[in-house]
Amino acid sequence: MDNCSIRVKNVYKYFEQKGSGSGKLLFSEKKKVKAVDGISLEVRPGEITGIIGESGCGKSTFGKLLIKLEDVTSGQIIVGDREINEFYKNDKLQFRRNVQMVFQNPFDTFDPRYTIKKILMEVLDIHHIGNTKEEKMEIITKGLESVELKPAEDYMDRRPHELSGGQLQRVSILRAMLLKPKVLISDEPVSMLDVSVRADVIKMLQNLARENGTTLLFISHDINTVRYISDRVIVMYLGRIVEEGITDEVLHNPQHPYTKALISNCSSIDVFEKKEKIKVDGEPPSPIDNGPGCYFAPRCPFAAGKCAQTYPDMQKISDTHKASCHLLNEKEDEQEIKN
Ligand code: SF4
């Protein structure tokens, strides 16, 4: 694997859900839950990309596809220069070394019977890192200290439940980063942590990714966190990307009503810059039968006739920013008439 770019081409992930019908005959019908519904994107090597959206928007499923915890229904994912299925099938250990994941709940991540030393030593053993036991102990000691768990000896013999959530998430990040992965997927890594430690853990994650040149995909529902850590941001709604671009561009000049709503309802994002408060009612509908129109139409305060009939194409706002909304076409039409 020569570089750590990620290329995603027209990827779908559907799950089958059993439904029930009523009538003379009892029957079951299989419905398709469209968790990821046609995503294409390119993440550059070493870039930190935030993926944002409400729960149920498909962002976690998308992360699992990238680490092969789920298989795509159709489409292609290329990690570095290797197609993901071929890479995983032919070289599973190398794949795991190159592509790592940090999960939301660190207490679910580890075997509760293992000490921190054993957890970290196991990773070094599996991936043949360090030649002798002494060398491995030195790697573990330096690693724990690099994630601010020092003196390291104080943590080595503890078990996961003897650490706080923040301390254990540091171990979780360290376990992934000991492998110097080319790609790291982190799924809501601080959402279960105490507010007081979130910023430190995010900073640490950002520093480790930058130092190692790791391509980081940071999945979160919290726009402030994504804004802090990411070079680029992707906004997902019901399995699709509705807006993407350089973080500052998207967050200071959002074009999609859903992105505008997320920003305007975020409590602390540049309050003085807020121009309009956008209220969006209700929860996202179930991603089963989304219809032909814009998926956001049932909740969008700007929805008009065309919105329920045709899904809007992705429009270029600038070289580094795009969004999919029919309102953007109208703006273009207005501009043409003026000219
Ligand atoms: Fe709203 Fe229509 Fe734009 Fe969809 S296409 S976000 S419904 S205005």
Side-chain angles (χ1 to χ4, degrees), residues 256-258 294-297 300-304 307 312 324-327:
H256 195 284
Y258 179 61
C294 172
Y295 292 176
F296 191 51
C300 179
F302 307 106
C307 298
S324 68
C325 173
H326 289 309
L327 292 178

PDB file of all heavy atoms in Angstrom, residues 256-258 294-297 300-304 307 312 324-327, ligand 1:
ATOM      1  N   HIS A 256     -26.730  23.768   1.586  1.00  0.00           N
ATOM      2  CA  HIS A 256     -27.873  22.860   1.697  1.00  0.00           C
ATOM      3  C   HIS A 256     -28.691  23.211   2.946  1.00  0.00           C
ATOM      4  O   HIS A 256     -28.112  23.429   4.017  1.00  0.00           O
ATOM      5  CB  HIS A 256     -27.361  21.416   1.789  1.00  0.00           C
ATOM      6  CG  HIS A 256     -28.428  20.393   1.554  1.00  0.00           C
ATOM      7  ND1 HIS A 256     -29.374  20.080   2.519  1.00  0.00           N
ATOM      8  CD2 HIS A 256     -28.731  19.647   0.464  1.00  0.00           C
ATOM      9  CE1 HIS A 256     -30.192  19.159   2.028  1.00  0.00           C
ATOM     10  NE2 HIS A 256     -29.825  18.892   0.781  1.00  0.00           N
ATOM     11  N   PRO A 257     -30.010  23.259   2.831  1.00  0.00           N
ATOM     12  CA  PRO A 257     -30.828  23.600   3.997  1.00  0.00           C
ATOM     13  C   PRO A 257     -30.575  22.707   5.215  1.00  0.00           C
ATOM     14  O   PRO A 257     -30.654  23.176   6.356  1.00  0.00           O
ATOM     15  CB  PRO A 257     -32.262  23.416   3.487  1.00  0.00           C
ATOM     16  CG  PRO A 257     -32.166  23.694   2.028  1.00  0.00           C
ATOM     17  CD  PRO A 257     -30.831  23.147   1.607  1.00  0.00           C
ATOM     18  N   TYR A 258     -30.231  21.440   4.968  1.00  0.00           N
ATOM     19  CA  TYR A 258     -29.958  20.558   6.110  1.00  0.00           C
ATOM     20  C   TYR A 258     -28.672  20.996   6.834  1.00  0.00           C
ATOM     21  O   TYR A 258     -28.625  21.048   8.064  1.00  0.00           O
ATOM     22  CB  TYR A 258     -29.836  19.114   5.621  1.00  0.00           C
ATOM     23  CG  TYR A 258     -29.526  18.133   6.726  1.00  0.00           C
ATOM     24  CD1 TYR A 258     -30.388  17.960   7.800  1.00  0.00           C
ATOM     25  CD2 TYR A 258     -28.348  17.380   6.703  1.00  0.00           C
ATOM     26  CE1 TYR A 258     -30.094  17.057   8.820  1.00  0.00           C
ATOM     27  CE2 TYR A 258     -28.055  16.475   7.706  1.00  0.00           C
ATOM     28  CZ  TYR A 258     -28.934  16.316   8.763  1.00  0.00           C
ATOM     29  OH  TYR A 258     -28.633  15.432   9.769  1.00  0.00           O
ATOM     30  N   CYS A 294     -36.067  14.691  -3.424  1.00  0.00           N
ATOM     31  CA  CYS A 294     -35.039  14.979  -2.418  1.00  0.00           C
ATOM     32  C   CYS A 294     -35.440  14.316  -1.098  1.00  0.00           C
ATOM     33  O   CYS A 294     -36.570  14.480  -0.637  1.00  0.00           O
ATOM     34  CB  CYS A 294     -34.935  16.496  -2.239  1.00  0.00           C
ATOM     35  SG  CYS A 294     -33.872  16.966  -0.861  1.00  0.00           S
ATOM     36  N   TYR A 295     -34.509  13.592  -0.509  1.00  0.00           N
ATOM     37  CA  TYR A 295     -34.831  12.857   0.722  1.00  0.00           C
ATOM     38  C   TYR A 295     -35.172  13.798   1.884  1.00  0.00           C
ATOM     39  O   TYR A 295     -35.831  13.409   2.836  1.00  0.00           O
ATOM     40  CB  TYR A 295     -33.654  11.965   1.133  1.00  0.00           C
ATOM     41  CG  TYR A 295     -33.382  10.808   0.211  1.00  0.00           C
ATOM     42  CD1 TYR A 295     -32.290   9.961   0.422  1.00  0.00           C
ATOM     43  CD2 TYR A 295     -34.214  10.530  -0.877  1.00  0.00           C
ATOM     44  CE1 TYR A 295     -32.031   8.891  -0.416  1.00  0.00           C
ATOM     45  CE2 TYR A 295     -33.964   9.465  -1.725  1.00  0.00           C
ATOM     46  CZ  TYR A 295     -32.863   8.646  -1.491  1.00  0.00           C
ATOM     47  OH  TYR A 295     -32.612   7.593  -2.326  1.00  0.00           O
ATOM     48  N   PHE A 296     -34.692  15.026   1.780  1.00  0.00           N
ATOM     49  CA  PHE A 296     -34.911  15.976   2.882  1.00  0.00           C
ATOM     50  C   PHE A 296     -36.252  16.713   2.737  1.00  0.00           C
ATOM     51  O   PHE A 296     -36.675  17.418   3.645  1.00  0.00           O
ATOM     52  CB  PHE A 296     -33.737  16.981   2.905  1.00  0.00           C
ATOM     53  CG  PHE A 296     -33.693  17.854   4.122  1.00  0.00           C
ATOM     54  CD1 PHE A 296     -33.751  17.314   5.397  1.00  0.00           C
ATOM     55  CD2 PHE A 296     -33.574  19.235   4.003  1.00  0.00           C
ATOM     56  CE1 PHE A 296     -33.710  18.121   6.527  1.00  0.00           C
ATOM     57  CE2 PHE A 296     -33.536  20.052   5.115  1.00  0.00           C
ATOM     58  CZ  PHE A 296     -33.593  19.496   6.390  1.00  0.00           C
ATOM     59  N   ALA A 297     -36.919  16.518   1.599  1.00  0.00           N
ATOM     60  CA  ALA A 297     -38.131  17.298   1.301  1.00  0.00           C
ATOM     61  C   ALA A 297     -39.196  17.257   2.405  1.00  0.00           C
ATOM     62  O   ALA A 297     -39.778  18.298   2.734  1.00  0.00           O
ATOM     63  CB  ALA A 297     -38.713  16.854  -0.037  1.00  0.00           C
ATOM     64  N   CYS A 300     -37.948  19.759   4.947  1.00  0.00           N
ATOM     65  CA  CYS A 300     -37.255  20.977   4.518  1.00  0.00           C
ATOM     66  C   CYS A 300     -38.193  22.181   4.484  1.00  0.00           C
ATOM     67  O   CYS A 300     -39.238  22.135   3.828  1.00  0.00           O
ATOM     68  CB  CYS A 300     -36.652  20.757   3.128  1.00  0.00           C
ATOM     69  SG  CYS A 300     -35.791  22.213   2.505  1.00  0.00           S
ATOM     70  N   PRO A 301     -37.835  23.274   5.158  1.00  0.00           N
ATOM     71  CA  PRO A 301     -38.708  24.452   5.148  1.00  0.00           C
ATOM     72  C   PRO A 301     -38.763  25.160   3.791  1.00  0.00           C
ATOM     73  O   PRO A 301     -39.616  26.012   3.583  1.00  0.00           O
ATOM     74  CB  PRO A 301     -38.085  25.366   6.212  1.00  0.00           C
ATOM     75  CG  PRO A 301     -36.714  24.869   6.442  1.00  0.00           C
ATOM     76  CD  PRO A 301     -36.661  23.442   6.014  1.00  0.00           C
ATOM     77  N   PHE A 302     -37.869  24.804   2.875  1.00  0.00           N
ATOM     78  CA  PHE A 302     -37.843  25.468   1.561  1.00  0.00           C
ATOM     79  C   PHE A 302     -38.370  24.575   0.436  1.00  0.00           C
ATOM     80  O   PHE A 302     -38.276  24.931  -0.738  1.00  0.00           O
ATOM     81  CB  PHE A 302     -36.412  25.895   1.209  1.00  0.00           C
ATOM     82  CG  PHE A 302     -35.759  26.708   2.287  1.00  0.00           C
ATOM     83  CD1 PHE A 302     -34.772  26.153   3.091  1.00  0.00           C
ATOM     84  CD2 PHE A 302     -36.158  28.018   2.511  1.00  0.00           C
ATOM     85  CE1 PHE A 302     -34.186  26.897   4.099  1.00  0.00           C
ATOM     86  CE2 PHE A 302     -35.571  28.770   3.525  1.00  0.00           C
ATOM     87  CZ  PHE A 302     -34.589  28.203   4.316  1.00  0.00           C
ATOM     88  N   ALA A 303     -38.895  23.405   0.793  1.00  0.00           N
ATOM     89  CA  ALA A 303     -39.299  22.448  -0.246  1.00  0.00           C
ATOM     90  C   ALA A 303     -40.373  23.048  -1.149  1.00  0.00           C
ATOM     91  O   ALA A 303     -41.314  23.690  -0.685  1.00  0.00           O
ATOM     92  CB  ALA A 303     -39.811  21.171   0.409  1.00  0.00           C
ATOM     93  N   ALA A 304     -40.225  22.842  -2.453  1.00  0.00           N
ATOM     94  CA  ALA A 304     -41.229  23.297  -3.432  1.00  0.00           C
ATOM     95  C   ALA A 304     -41.597  22.091  -4.303  1.00  0.00           C
ATOM     96  O   ALA A 304     -41.080  20.984  -4.093  1.00  0.00           O
ATOM     97  CB  ALA A 304     -40.649  24.422  -4.268  1.00  0.00           C
ATOM     98  N   CYS A 307     -39.113  19.497  -5.637  1.00  0.00           N
ATOM     99  CA  CYS A 307     -38.309  18.788  -4.630  1.00  0.00           C
ATOM    100  C   CYS A 307     -38.817  17.381  -4.357  1.00  0.00           C
ATOM    101  O   CYS A 307     -38.030  16.471  -4.089  1.00  0.00           O
ATOM    102  CB  CYS A 307     -38.288  19.579  -3.328  1.00  0.00           C
ATOM    103  SG  CYS A 307     -37.546  21.198  -3.503  1.00  0.00           S
ATOM    104  N   PRO A 312     -32.099  16.154  -6.387  1.00  0.00           N
ATOM    105  CA  PRO A 312     -31.203  17.170  -6.970  1.00  0.00           C
ATOM    106  C   PRO A 312     -29.790  16.650  -7.215  1.00  0.00           C
ATOM    107  O   PRO A 312     -29.254  15.908  -6.403  1.00  0.00           O
ATOM    108  CB  PRO A 312     -31.189  18.278  -5.905  1.00  0.00           C
ATOM    109  CG  PRO A 312     -31.561  17.604  -4.636  1.00  0.00           C
ATOM    110  CD  PRO A 312     -32.436  16.438  -4.978  1.00  0.00           C
ATOM    111  N   SER A 324     -26.068  19.420  -2.957  1.00  0.00           N
ATOM    112  CA  SER A 324     -27.158  18.991  -3.842  1.00  0.00           C
ATOM    113  C   SER A 324     -28.488  19.533  -3.332  1.00  0.00           C
ATOM    114  O   SER A 324     -28.991  19.088  -2.299  1.00  0.00           O
ATOM    115  CB  SER A 324     -27.207  17.460  -3.933  1.00  0.00           C
ATOM    116  OG  SER A 324     -27.598  16.897  -2.718  1.00  0.00           O
ATOM    117  N   CYS A 325     -29.001  20.544  -4.037  1.00  0.00           N
ATOM    118  CA  CYS A 325     -30.273  21.151  -3.673  1.00  0.00           C
ATOM    119  C   CYS A 325     -30.809  21.898  -4.897  1.00  0.00           C
ATOM    120  O   CYS A 325     -30.051  22.584  -5.579  1.00  0.00           O
ATOM    121  CB  CYS A 325     -30.059  22.120  -2.503  1.00  0.00           C
ATOM    122  SG  CYS A 325     -31.529  23.072  -2.121  1.00  0.00           S
ATOM    123  N   HIS A 326     -32.113  21.763  -5.160  1.00  0.00           N
ATOM    124  CA  HIS A 326     -32.697  22.448  -6.316  1.00  0.00           C
ATOM    125  C   HIS A 326     -32.596  23.968  -6.205  1.00  0.00           C
ATOM    126  O   HIS A 326     -32.604  24.664  -7.217  1.00  0.00           O
ATOM    127  CB  HIS A 326     -34.172  22.050  -6.473  1.00  0.00           C
ATOM    128  CG  HIS A 326     -34.349  20.641  -6.938  1.00  0.00           C
ATOM    129  ND1 HIS A 326     -33.696  20.133  -8.035  1.00  0.00           N
ATOM    130  CD2 HIS A 326     -35.106  19.616  -6.448  1.00  0.00           C
ATOM    131  CE1 HIS A 326     -34.038  18.867  -8.208  1.00  0.00           C
ATOM    132  NE2 HIS A 326     -34.884  18.526  -7.255  1.00  0.00           N
ATOM    133  N   LEU A 327     -32.516  24.474  -4.975  1.00  0.00           N
ATOM    134  CA  LEU A 327     -32.422  25.933  -4.810  1.00  0.00           C
ATOM    135  C   LEU A 327     -31.179  26.494  -5.486  1.00  0.00           C
ATOM    136  O   LEU A 327     -31.169  27.630  -5.939  1.00  0.00           O
ATOM    137  CB  LEU A 327     -32.372  26.309  -3.324  1.00  0.00           C
ATOM    138  CG  LEU A 327     -33.638  26.069  -2.494  1.00  0.00           C
ATOM    139  CD1 LEU A 327     -33.383  26.443  -1.050  1.00  0.00           C
ATOM    140  CD2 LEU A 327     -34.797  26.862  -3.052  1.00  0.00           C
TER     141      LEU A 327
HETATM  142 FE1  SF4 B   1     -35.066  21.428   0.424  1.00  0.00          FE
HETATM  143 FE2  SF4 B   1     -35.780  21.091  -2.120  1.00  0.00          FE
HETATM  144 FE3  SF4 B   1     -33.262  21.683  -1.513  1.00  0.00          FE
HETATM  145 FE4  SF4 B   1     -34.243  19.280  -0.928  1.00  0.00          FE
HETATM  146  S1  SF4 B   1     -33.944  20.140  -2.979  1.00  0.00           S
HETATM  147  S2  SF4 B   1     -33.005  20.541   0.377  1.00  0.00           S
HETATM  148  S3  SF4 B   1     -36.317  19.804  -0.372  1.00  0.00           S
HETATM  149  S4  SF4 B   1     -35.066  22.974  -1.192  1.00  0.00           S
END
